[in-house]
């Protein structure tokens, strides 16, 4: 035959390829939505791959026509006529009547070709090429019961043509052959021949005869008017005539008879239209080789290759194929078109088998490989249109399943998935390569086509499965199961990812080595979008938020593990896919929310501390322990915050506990600093040393008429005060010290509790409680407490000595002479003070304060001796009195062994002890010692002047020039006065 006509007649064919091509790039979302609906209808046959005929011809009409063409093409072609033997004749006669031979001497061999033994099909070449196994009867070498005896009979049965119709067809062909001896089948117009030679008496009733006439007229209309091989012009007279005849025949039955005028008119118009040739002279009649009419007929013939009962490929497939080839010259079919039609038929029968006949699927896959080779060499646009039509039908079905393969495939039918993917990908690749040939700008690499398709299937199916899991998760949440939907969904998606990895990815890896990676990135993205929406506006930590974020973190780790395992086989380590998995940062989100939770509570606690300390009375009677109630309440609140933290439904306690303890540590430190702020420090409580002073040696120390109380009014230059200074009294100071000691002790308990809670938390999560507590510290508050206790003790001691007791120390001790005002009043006051301290404080903080008080009283005693002011002067005889007084002062703190340790008292009194020997040293020796000390420190003095000693030392000592000079200033004798006046021009008195 010449070049094939277009698949669609007239102008429709010009746009066919473009419309089919554009349909291949349909929107993925629409395809995926359609795919979900493909469930119960899976056993339905595929939609016809060819455009409609435009003529009301049923499948039964087409099957009968196909059988007529097959019988006509299979008749004897030599000088032997086609002989009709009634169906009731013996099988051998039937075989002869239906045999088709090539020569007059090949009658027996032709018959054997149509009456072939079932056992011979075991060696079927077609089945082997398709990968089909022989039938059970063939393997056993026995004939199946009640099977047609001939191949032609098998074809008739599979095409569902009745014996009566078969007899009528053969009678008609005998009549045709009788008048046209030796004429080839392709030169005959079968519908016209049948109309001319058939009689009403051939049919059981008039209605059947009328339907038979209508069928043949519709065949002529379809083949010559609607789908002609050669396009018709609008002015074609024969075409107009034929339309009128057919139209009249539909209203009134066509009169039979070859010589009738109406029949002659019909015959003339039909032969004229069918006799048109594409070029050159030919006696071929083109009534059934126009597209897609011929394909509709041939596709019915291809159905003869399948058993009418179970849809499997018949054992006699080789012989059936041989018969089908005889029709090619009539229908304009070639090997490439046959391959296409047979591929579609194989796949369609797999579909109608409810996708359980895997052999059919495998056969369709093998046959498609043949089509792939054909398509590479195809140049005929008509073939390409047919190719697109059939492959679009196949890909349309496969994509409905593969775009939602989680809905389609399960454990019961997963074995068919690989074949369906193979066919779907192969068909899609052919289509896309065909498009790229027509549109070079859209050419793609083959690997991109295949991988792109697989990625599309994976992403579409998982999007659909994800949406379904979301709906299911919503249904699972109830009043009895208040777990957040996203937490439920995360668990379901994790299960879905595992199912994908174990069931589907091993199949899809054949085409995409990173199938699992694509799947998990898709799920990661889907859940990530939901997580983002969930977190919008969430600034406070709640149990629901924690559950969702914990579930998201666990899901992400599972997905990443699957991806990493999959990426091991990747050339780039899966970087392209990893970039598609921006981390959820669930842990960071949890950390941020928990830190906000911590800050909120720490800030509230700080506000509470400010309010409570403003109202705190520091009353020692507030509780039995004599510490501030606010400290107890604060520590209780800190303890509650710790408990609440470890009860948070998170897995990051060990990571965040350091932030919490740091915040609480800061609050405790803040409390301590605020508690210390209500009183002064040691430096403010200790009076400043006066300038070097000198007594009037030549006169009496006190005026005779001056009363003792006047000395108090005159005061001393030490800055004494008759009453207590502003701020806290002694009992309040003791409570403050107690409070700091209590806080420091309780902080240790907090550390132990936090470590225990953290260890329990780690044990509950991973069974490995290995925390060493390195992240649990209260260093600031502990150091602040320790430093605060020291500062408070020192400040309290100096306040007591230099403020509360200044009237007996600075204003009275040794004023007017060492013998007149001795240390007993100071001792009584100190004893009373110690009683107050012991009544309020106990144990460690009490000893700290008494030690500080001891040091302050020793400092005050030494201050009186070295900077007591003009009301004080000492002689050598006073040294013993002073030593006795100091011994009594030390004895107060030793308390006959019940007080402070002897070593501690000795250490604290070492400075005073180093100075007291200077009071017993004669003046000349003091002067010489002073000069020597000045020379050692500042060099030899000049004759005209003697340098003043350096500033007041940090510690008084017998070798310090400033200390010696101050002893000389308070030495009550002539030698001291002369030396001081001559050397420094000191006055006799200040």
């Amino acid at each position: 035959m010449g070049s094939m006509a277009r698949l669609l007649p007239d102008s429709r064919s010009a746009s066919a390829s473009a419309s089919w091509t554009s349909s291949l790039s349909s929107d993925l979302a629409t395809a995926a939505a359609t795919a979900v609906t493909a469930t119960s209808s899976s056993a339905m046959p595929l939609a016809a791959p060819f455009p409609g005929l435009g003529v009301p011809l049923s499948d039964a009409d087409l099957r009968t026509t196909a059988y007529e063409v097959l019988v006509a093409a299979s008749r004897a072609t030599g000088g032997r006529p086609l002989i009709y033997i009634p169906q009731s004749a013996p099988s051998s006669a039937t075989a002869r009547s239906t045999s088709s031979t090539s020569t007059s001497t090949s009658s027996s061999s032709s018959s054997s070709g149509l009456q072939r033994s079932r056992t011979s099909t075991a060696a079927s070449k077609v089945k082997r090429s398709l990968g089909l196994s022989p039938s059970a009867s063939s393997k056993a070498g026995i004939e199946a019961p009640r099977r047609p005896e001939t191949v032609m009979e098998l074809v008739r049965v599979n095409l569902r043509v009745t014996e009566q119709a078969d007899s009528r067809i053969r009678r008609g062909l005998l009549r045709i052959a009788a008048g046209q001896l030796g004429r080839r089948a392709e030169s005959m117009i079968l519908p016209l021949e049948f109309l001319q030679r058939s009689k009403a008496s051939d049919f059981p009733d008039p209605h059947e005869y009328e339907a038979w006439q209508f069928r043949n007229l519709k065949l002529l209309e379809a083949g010559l008017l609607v789908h002609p091989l050669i396009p018709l012009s609008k002015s074609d007279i024969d075409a107009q005539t034929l339309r009128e005849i057919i139209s009249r025949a539909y209203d009134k039955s066509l009169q039979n008879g070859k010589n009738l005028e109406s029949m002659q008119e019909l015959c003339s118009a039909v032969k004229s239209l069918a006799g048109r040739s594409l070029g050159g002279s030919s006696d071929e009649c083109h009534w059934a080789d126009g597209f897609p009419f011929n394909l509709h007929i041939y596709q019915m013939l291809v159905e003869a290759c399948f058993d009418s009962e179970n849809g499997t490929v018949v054992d006699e497939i080789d012989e059936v194929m041989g018969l089908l080839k005889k029709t090619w010259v009539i229908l304009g079919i070639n090997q490439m078109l046959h391959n296409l039609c047979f591929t579609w038929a194989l796949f369609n029968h797999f579909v109608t088998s409810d996708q359980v006949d895997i052999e059919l699927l495998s056969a369709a896959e093998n046959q498609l490989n043949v089509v792939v080779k054909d398509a590479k060499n195809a140049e005929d646009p008509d073939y390409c249109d047919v190719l697109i039509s059939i492959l679009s039908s196949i890909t349309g079905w496969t994509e409905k399943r593969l775009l939602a393969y989680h809905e389609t495939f399960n454990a019961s039918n997963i074995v068919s998935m690989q074949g369906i993917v193979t066919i779907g990908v192969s068909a899609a690749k052919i289509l896309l390569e065909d498009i790229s040939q027509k549109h070079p700008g859209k050419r793609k690499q083959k690997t991109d086509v295949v991988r792109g398709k697989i990625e599309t299937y994976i992403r579409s199916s998982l999007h659909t499965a994800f949406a379904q899991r979301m709906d299911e998760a919503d249904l699972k949440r109830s009043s009895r199961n208040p777990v957040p939907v996203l937490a439920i969904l995360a668990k379901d998606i994790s299960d879905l990812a595992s199912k994908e990895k174990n069931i589907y990815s091993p199949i899809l890896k054949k085409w995409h080595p990173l199938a699992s990676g694509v799947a998990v990135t898709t799920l990661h993205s889907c859940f990530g979008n939901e997580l983002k929406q969930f977190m919008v506006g969430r600034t406070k930590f709640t149990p629901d938020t924690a559950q969702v974020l914990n579930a998201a973190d666990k899901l992400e780790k599972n997905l990443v593990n699957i991806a990493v395992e999959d990426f091991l086989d990747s050339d780039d380590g899966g970087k392209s896919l990893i970039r598609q998995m921006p981390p959820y940062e669930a842990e960071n989100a949890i950390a941020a929310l928990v830190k906000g939770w911590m800050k909120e509570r720490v800030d509230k606690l700080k506000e509470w501390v400010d309010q409570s300390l403003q109202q705190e009375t520091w009353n020692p009677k507030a509780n039995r322990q004599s510490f501030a109630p606010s400290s107890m309440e604060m520590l209780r609140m800190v303890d509650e915050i710790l408990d609440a933290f470890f009860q948070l439904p998170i897995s990051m306690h060990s990571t965040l506990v350091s932030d919490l303890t740091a915040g609480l540590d800061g609050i405790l430190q803040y409390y301590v600093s605020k508690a210390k702020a209500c009183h002064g420090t040691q430096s403010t409580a200790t009076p400043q040393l006066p300038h070097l002073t000198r007594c009037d040696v030549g006169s009496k120390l006190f005026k005779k008429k001056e009363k003792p109380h006047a000395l108090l009014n005159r005061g001393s230059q030490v800055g004494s005060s008759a009453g207590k200074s502003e701020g806290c009294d002694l009992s309040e100071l003791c409570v403050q010290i107690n409070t700091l000691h209590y806080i420091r002790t309780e902080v240790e308990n907090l550390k132990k509790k936090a470590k225990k809670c953290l260890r329990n938390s780690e044990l509950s999560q991973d069974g490995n409680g290995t925390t060493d507590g390195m992240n649990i510290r209260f260093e600031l508050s502990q150091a602040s407490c320790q430093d605060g206790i020291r500062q408070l003790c020192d400040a309290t001691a100096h306040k007591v000595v230099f403020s509360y007791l200044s009237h007996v120390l600075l204003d009275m001790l040794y004023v007017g002479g060492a013998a007149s005002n001795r240390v007993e009043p100071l001792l009584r006051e100190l004893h009373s003070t110690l009683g107050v301290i012991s009544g309020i404080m106990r144990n460690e903080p009490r000893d700290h304060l008494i030690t500080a008080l001891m040091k302050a009283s020793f400092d005050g005693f030494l201050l009186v001796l070295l900077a007591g002011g003009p009301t004080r002067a000492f002689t050598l005889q006073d040294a013993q009195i002073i030593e006795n007084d100091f011994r009594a002062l030390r004895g107060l703190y030793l308390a006959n062994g019940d007080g402070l340790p002897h070593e501690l008292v000795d250490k604290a009194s070492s400075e005073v002890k180093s100075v007291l020997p200077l009071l017993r040293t004669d003046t000349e020796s003091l002067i010489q010692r002073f000069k020597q000390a000045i020379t050692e420190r500042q060099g030899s003095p000049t004759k005209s002047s003697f340098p003043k000693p350096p500033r007041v030392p940090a510690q008084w000592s017998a070798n310090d020039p400033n200390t010696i000079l101050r002893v000389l200033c308070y030495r009550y004798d002539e030698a001291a006065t002369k030396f001081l006046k001559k050397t420094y021009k000191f006055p006799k008195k200040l």
Side-chain angles (χ1 to χ4, degrees):
M1 287 184 62
S3 175
M4 298 179 191
R6 291 174 295 278
L7 183 59
L8 295 176
D10 305 324
S11 61
R12 287 177 295 171
S13 63
S15 60
S17 295
S19 63
W20 296 344
T21 299
S22 63
S23 68
L24 298 178
S25 57
S26 60
D27 186 75
L28 173 61
T30 304
T34 307
V36 178
T37 64
T39 53
S40 60
S41 61
S42 60
M44 298 294 291
L46 290 174
F50 314 120
L53 288 173
V55 178
L57 284 165
S58 66
D59 286 350
D61 293 337
L62 291 173
R63 281 195 297 268
T64 302
T65 302
Y67 186 69
E68 290 172 349
V69 171
L70 179 63
V71 175
S74 302
R75 71 182 179 86
T77 57
R80 299 171 59 83
L82 181 67
I83 301 173
Y84 167 69
I85 303 295
Q87 198 67 37
S88 59
S91 61
S92 59
T94 304
R96 287 193 301 273
S97 70
T98 58
S99 64
S100 177
T101 61
S102 300
T103 65
S104 59
T105 60
S106 60
S107 173
S108 60
S109 65
S110 177
S111 178
S112 65
L114 299 180
Q115 193 180 6
R116 194 166 175 179
S117 170
R118 296 293 181 268
T119 58
S120 66
T121 61
S124 170
K125 293 181 180 180
V126 176
K127 278 201 168 186
R128 285 203 305 272
S129 66
L130 294 175
L132 295 171
S133 59
S135 66
S137 60
S138 297
K139 292 178 183 179
I142 60 174
E143 185 176 350
R146 294 188 299 277
R147 290 275 293 177
E149 293 296 331
T150 66
V151 175
M152 184 61 78
E153 183 71 5
L154 176 67
V155 170
R156 181 190 66 76
V157 172
N158 288 342
L159 291 183
R160 287 177 274 180
V161 176
T162 65
E163 292 185 3
Q164 292 78 8
D166 178 53
S167 298
R168 187 166 56 245
I169 291 169
R170 293 183 181 278
R171 285 197 302 271
L173 288 174
L174 282 172
R175 293 168 186 166
I176 296 170
Q180 302 182 21
L181 186 62
R183 191 176 179 188
R184 293 179 300 160
E186 62 268 23
S187 65
M188 294 186 294
I189 307 171
L190 289 179
L192 179 62
E193 299 289 350
F194 281 129
L195 285 171
Q196 287 179 318
R197 291 171 174 78
S198 296
K199 305 174 183 178
S201 59
D202 294 334
F203 297 87
D205 61 73
H207 294 294
E208 188 173 346
Y209 175 62
E210 187 178 82
W212 176 86
Q213 274 192 330
F214 285 166
R215 176 177 67 84
N216 282 286
L217 289 172
K218 285 185 283 187
L219 289 174
L220 292 174
E221 181 183 3
L224 297 175
L225 297 179
V226 182
H227 304 289
L229 176 64
I230 302 172
L232 295 169
S233 64
K234 293 182 179 180
S235 60
D236 194 302
I237 297 176
D238 293 322
Q240 294 176 3
T241 301
L242 181 58
R243 286 192 184 95
E244 292 174 0
I245 294 173
I246 293 174
S247 178
R248 290 197 304 269
Y250 286 158
D251 295 332
K252 183 179 180 181
S253 298
L254 187 67
Q255 294 297 317
N256 196 11
K258 185 174 181 181
N259 298 320
L260 291 176
E261 182 181 353
S262 58
M263 185 60 68
Q264 288 179 347
E265 186 182 15
L266 175 65
C267 182
S268 175
V270 168
K271 287 184 177 180
S272 177
L273 292 172
R276 295 179 306 150
S277 176
L278 292 171
S281 60
S282 173
D283 62 348
E284 294 176 352
C285 294
H286 304 290
W287 69 273
D289 50 359
F291 289 85
F293 181 50
N294 60 341
L295 294 177
H296 280 275
I297 295 175
Y298 189 71
Q299 196 60 45
M300 292 300 175
L301 284 173
V302 172
E303 288 300 308
C305 300
F306 301 89
D307 191 285
S308 59
E309 293 183 0
N310 55 35
T312 59
V313 175
V314 297
D315 291 338
E316 300 82 3
I317 182 65
D318 297 64
E319 289 81 359
V320 174
M321 286 288 193
L323 290 177
L324 264 55
K325 285 185 179 181
K326 294 181 180 183
T327 67
W328 290 5
V329 67
I330 299 175
L331 299 176
I333 304 297
N334 59 19
Q335 185 67 53
M336 292 172 64
L337 285 171
H338 165 79
N339 292 339
L340 268 177
C341 292
F342 191 49
T343 299
W344 186 84
L346 285 168
F347 190 74
N348 187 41
H349 276 274
F350 163 71
V351 171
T352 55
S353 74
D354 204 12
Q355 307 167 49
V356 297
D357 194 336
I358 303 303
E359 275 204 344
L360 282 175
L361 179 63
S362 178
E365 181 182 343
N366 292 329
Q367 186 66 19
L368 185 59
N369 292 332
V370 177
V371 173
V372 170
K373 295 177 183 178
D374 291 343
K376 291 180 180 179
N377 302 318
E379 297 181 357
D380 192 328
D382 294 321
Y383 171 82
C384 292
D385 287 343
V386 178
L387 176 72
I388 291 173
S389 178
I390 288 180
L391 295 186
S392 296
S393 176
I394 291 175
T395 56
W397 187 91
T398 58
E399 290 203 341
K400 282 182 181 180
R401 276 78 190 160
L402 295 175
L403 289 171
Y405 58 77
H406 287 86
E407 298 286 335
T408 308
F409 302 102
N410 49 50
S412 63
N413 66 350
I414 191 65
V415 68
S416 65
M417 182 177 176
Q418 179 166 325
I420 292 175
V421 175
T422 301
I423 290 177
V425 168
S426 298
K429 190 166 72 168
I430 296 173
L431 290 172
L432 291 174
E433 286 178 353
D434 180 69
I435 293 172
S436 68
Q437 289 173 5
K438 295 180 180 180
H439 306 280
K442 296 184 179 179
R443 186 179 297 275
K444 295 183 179 181
Q445 295 294 329
K446 293 180 181 179
T447 53
D448 291 343
V449 171
V450 175
R451 286 197 180 191
K453 274 294 175 185
I454 298 301
E455 284 199 22
T456 299
Y457 298 153
I458 294 173
R459 295 190 189 282
S460 172
S461 186
L462 284 172
H463 273 99
T464 302
F466 183 87
Q468 182 181 355
R469 297 306 192 281
M470 276 200 67
D471 294 339
E472 292 173 356
D474 203 21
L475 294 174
K476 290 178 182 178
R477 180 177 169 87
S478 63
S479 57
R480 294 182 179 180
N481 182 28
V483 179
V485 171
L486 281 191
I488 299 172
L489 180 63
K491 174 64 170 61
D492 292 346
I493 297 307
S494 186
D495 295 340
L496 179 61
S498 298
K499 181 179 179 182
E500 182 75 22
K501 173 189 173 184
N502 298 325
I503 297 178
Y504 302 110
S505 292
I507 294 173
L508 298 174
K509 273 182 176 292
K510 178 179 178 181
W511 297 274
H512 199 309
L514 302 181
S516 293
V518 173
V520 296
T521 55
T522 302
L523 292 175
H524 187 274
S525 175
C526 289
F527 190 85
N529 292 334
E530 297 300 323
L531 185 62
K532 283 181 181 178
Q533 294 182 23
F534 176 81
M535 292 302 295
V536 170
R538 292 182 182 267
T539 58
K540 291 191 175 183
F541 183 89
T542 64
D544 277 6
T545 305
Q547 277 188 286
V548 169
L549 289 173
N550 282 328
D553 185 56
K554 185 176 181 180
L555 169 63
E556 183 171 49
K557 288 175 180 176
N558 289 341
L559 296 179
V560 169
N561 287 337
I562 294 174
V564 169
E565 183 179 339
D566 201 44
F567 295 161
L568 294 176
D569 300 328
S570 173
D571 295 336
D572 66 347
K575 293 180 181 178
S576 59
L577 288 175
I578 291 175
R579 285 193 291 269
Q580 298 177 30
M581 297 179 71
Y584 296 157
E585 296 187 346
E587 288 190 350
N588 291 342
I590 292 175
L593 292 174
V594 173
K595 287 179 180 178
W597 179 89
M598 295 176 187
K599 186 177 184 303
E600 181 181 2
R601 279 150 182 78
V602 169
D603 289 346
K604 287 183 178 179
L605 186 56
K606 184 178 180 181
E607 293 176 5
W608 182 88
V609 167
D610 286 330
Q611 295 174 0
S612 298
L613 284 180
Q614 288 177 1
Q615 302 170 2
E616 187 58 76
T617 60
W618 306 103
N619 184 358
K621 296 181 180 180
N623 51 54
R624 189 170 59 185
Q625 294 84 0
S626 296
F627 47 70
S630 61
S631 66
M632 295 179 64
E633 183 64 16
M634 177 190 64
L635 287 165
R636 184 191 66 78
M637 295 167 71
V638 168
D639 189 72
E640 287 181 351
I641 292 174
L642 270 177
D643 284 338
F645 170 74
F646 283 106
Q647 289 173 7
L648 293 178
I650 61 175
S651 59
M652 305 170 60
H653 293 109
S654 60
T655 304
L656 297 173
V657 68
S658 59
D659 292 316
L660 177 62
T661 53
L664 297 176
D665 190 26
I667 289 298
L668 294 171
Q669 182 192 30
Y670 181 73
Y671 180 95
V672 172
S673 64
K674 293 282 286 186
K676 293 189 300 182
C678 71
H679 46 73
T681 61
Q682 177 182 349
S683 60
T684 59
T686 304
Q688 295 290 329
L689 286 177
H691 295 294
L692 289 170
T693 186
R694 179 66 191 136
C695 298
D696 188 355
V697 178
S699 63
K700 294 182 179 180
L701 283 174
F702 310 118
K703 295 179 180 180
K704 293 181 180 179
K705 296 182 179 180
E706 195 171 36
K707 295 180 180 179
H709 64 82
L711 297 175
L712 297 177
N713 292 335
R714 182 185 300 176
S716 69
Q717 292 181 325
V718 182
S720 62
S721 174
K724 77 171 184 175
S725 64
E726 294 182 1
C728 306
D729 64 16
L730 178 60
S731 61
E732 293 174 356
L733 289 169
C734 291
V735 171
Q736 289 173 352
I737 296 171
N738 271 350
T739 300
L740 298 193
H741 177 73
Y742 167 71
I743 292 173
R744 187 177 69 173
T745 302
E746 288 302 309
V747 164
E748 284 295 328
N749 294 332
L750 286 175
K751 286 172 63 176
K752 293 177 182 178
K753 175 177 180 175
K755 289 180 182 180
K756 180 180 179 180
C757 290
L758 180 58
R759 188 176 297 109
N760 292 338
S761 172
E762 290 179 343
L763 284 170
S764 65
Q765 291 168 17
D766 56 20
N768 183 21
T770 58
T771 177
D772 56 3
M774 294 301 292
N775 291 327
I776 302 175
R777 300 174 180 174
F778 289 87
E779 294 178 344
L780 294 177
S781 56
Q782 284 187 309
S784 183
C785 284
Q786 187 171 350
D787 189 57
I789 291 172
R790 180 186 59 77
Q791 290 181 13
L792 276 176
C793 287
D794 290 345
T796 301
H798 281 74
K799 275 193 176 184
V800 169
V801 172
F802 297 106
S803 180
Y804 301 167
L805 304 184
S806 63
H807 62 289
V808 293
L809 175 65
L810 304 181
D811 294 344
M812 182 179 294
L813 183 62
Y814 303 141
V815 170
S820 59
N821 288 294
R822 296 187 63 176
V823 79
E824 284 80 5
L826 175 63
L827 294 179
R828 286 196 297 271
E829 292 287 350
L830 285 173
H831 187 274
S832 176
T833 299
L834 291 174
V836 172
I837 292 172
S838 298
I840 298 174
M841 304 176 70
R842 293 176 179 81
N843 302 328
E844 186 178 348
R846 178 197 61 199
D847 292 343
H848 282 312
L849 180 55
I850 292 177
T851 300
L853 183 63
M854 175 185 67
K855 291 179 180 178
S857 61
F858 289 171
D859 290 343
F861 188 83
L862 199 55
L863 188 66
V864 167
L865 298 180
L866 300 178
T871 60
R872 293 180 174 86
F874 304 103
T875 64
L876 285 174
Q877 291 74 22
D878 293 333
Q880 188 60 49
I881 294 174
I882 294 171
E883 288 181 3
N884 291 339
D885 284 352
F886 184 66
R887 189 177 297 109
L889 182 59
R890 288 179 72 249
L892 176 69
Y893 295 105
L894 289 171
N896 296 322
D898 293 331
L900 298 176
H902 201 283
E903 297 80 6
L904 185 60
V905 176
D906 284 344
K907 183 178 180 180
S909 62
S910 60
E911 190 176 19
V912 180
K913 287 182 178 180
S914 69
V915 173
L916 288 180
L918 295 177
L919 299 179
R920 295 196 302 269
T921 305
D922 62 87
T923 302
E924 290 299 328
S925 298
L926 281 176
I927 293 172
Q928 291 301 319
R929 178 177 287 194
F930 173 73
K931 290 179 179 180
Q932 183 179 356
I934 286 291
T935 301
E936 290 176 355
R937 299 199 180 188
Q938 296 181 259
S940 301
T942 62
K943 293 182 179 180
S944 60
S945 65
F946 208 94
K948 288 184 180 180
R951 61 193 339 185
V952 176
Q955 185 175 10
W956 305 110
S957 72
N959 297 320
D960 173 60
N962 202 309
T963 305
I964 299 172
L965 182 59
R966 285 186 177 273
V967 173
L968 284 172
C969 286
Y970 288 95
R971 176 60 58 88
Y972 184 36
D973 63 20
E974 185 70 23
T977 300
K978 287 182 178 181
F979 172 75
L980 293 174
K981 186 173 183 179
K982 179 180 178 180
T983 307
Y984 296 112
K985 302 198 181 323
F986 280 1
K988 292 183 180 179
K989 65 179 181 179
L990 187 62

